[in-house]
Amino acid sequence: MSRLTTPSLDEVPAGARQTLDKLGKQLGFVPNMFKTIASNPTVLEAVTTLQGTMSRVLDARTRHSIALAVSQSNGCDYCLAIHTYTSSEYGGMSSDDIDLARAGSSVDPKRAAAARFAQQVVDSRGQVSDGDLAAVRDAGYADPEILAIVTVAVQALLTNFINNVNQTDIDIPAATAAR
């Protein structure tokens, strides 16, 4: 059971309600995580703005792979559920791709390097080795892309922490087979 207050949709402030309505249209439902965050409209704005901004870096499958790898490292069941759902439903990732991403890997070597590096960033609290940096560079990532990998990892880490603190009730529809 969630440990923080999750207001009903009727109880959230007007500005937050607009954001939740937009999310509901995008996803087909309003996830419990966003309902909970909506109790603080400033935090909701920060999270959704960061997510929107980061949707413009890297490709979608790489972002999904990073989110899955980081959520696995942090043991965030809620984030694993939502990222599995969105990776399958909107990212076109197969269940095998999703499983590999959770392990910090991929059938695509470049994407695998990004997922692995993101896990190393999280697991080492940013204290990655020269070898870790060399490996992600050797996979084809330049420094601006490495900054994007770190930021996508931190974005996932933010929601992992919120959901782990809250123990957010999982309300994610079961993902269907990837198209």
Side-chain angles (χ1 to χ4, degrees):
M1 183 163 102
S2 294
R3 301 189 302 177
L4 301 175
T5 301
T6 302
S8 71
L9 292 177
D10 294 333
E11 296 171 327
V12 299
R17 179 58 194 247
Q18 292 170 345
T19 301
L20 293 181
D21 288 344
K22 182 179 175 184
L23 286 165
K25 287 178 186 170
Q26 289 174 335
L27 297 173
F29 71 105
V30 179
N32 279 339
M33 174 184 79
F34 291 106
K35 290 178 195 171
T36 300
I37 296 172
S39 69
N40 185 326
T42 303
V43 174
L44 179 65
E45 179 183 2
V47 169
T48 57
T49 299
L50 179 60
Q51 289 177 335
T53 300
M54 296 315 296
S55 71
R56 299 189 309 259
V57 301
L58 307 168
D59 64 273
R61 287 187 181 184
T62 300
R63 291 191 317 272
H64 287 302
S65 295
I66 291 167
L68 286 159
V70 169
S71 297
Q72 182 69 42
S73 285
N74 285 307
C76 184
D77 293 336
Y78 190 88
C79 291
L80 284 169
I82 192 114
H83 290 299
T84 295
Y85 176 78
T86 58
S87 297
S88 172
E89 293 297 306
Y90 305 107
M93 291 176 68
S94 70
S95 58
D96 288 341
D97 287 339
I98 291 167
D99 289 344
L100 286 169
R102 288 177 65 168
S105 189
S106 172
V107 295
D108 176 84
K110 189 171 181 180
R111 195 175 332 133
R116 188 170 29 261
F117 184 72
Q119 280 186 325
Q120 291 164 330
V121 167
V122 170
D123 293 345
S124 72
R125 295 181 180 95
Q127 300 292 325
V128 296
S129 70
D130 290 342
D132 295 332
L133 272 173
V136 76
R137 285 182 175 133
D138 288 347
Y141 289 103
D143 289 357
E145 294 167 310
I146 293 170
L147 290 170
I149 292 168
V150 172
T151 307
V152 171
V154 170
Q155 171 194 319
L157 190 62
L158 171 63
T159 56
N160 288 175
F161 282 8
I162 288 169
N163 288 300
N164 282 344
V165 166
N166 187 33
Q167 296 178 0
T168 308
D169 292 330
I170 296 175
D171 61 339
I172 313 304
T176 58
R179 295 168 196 23

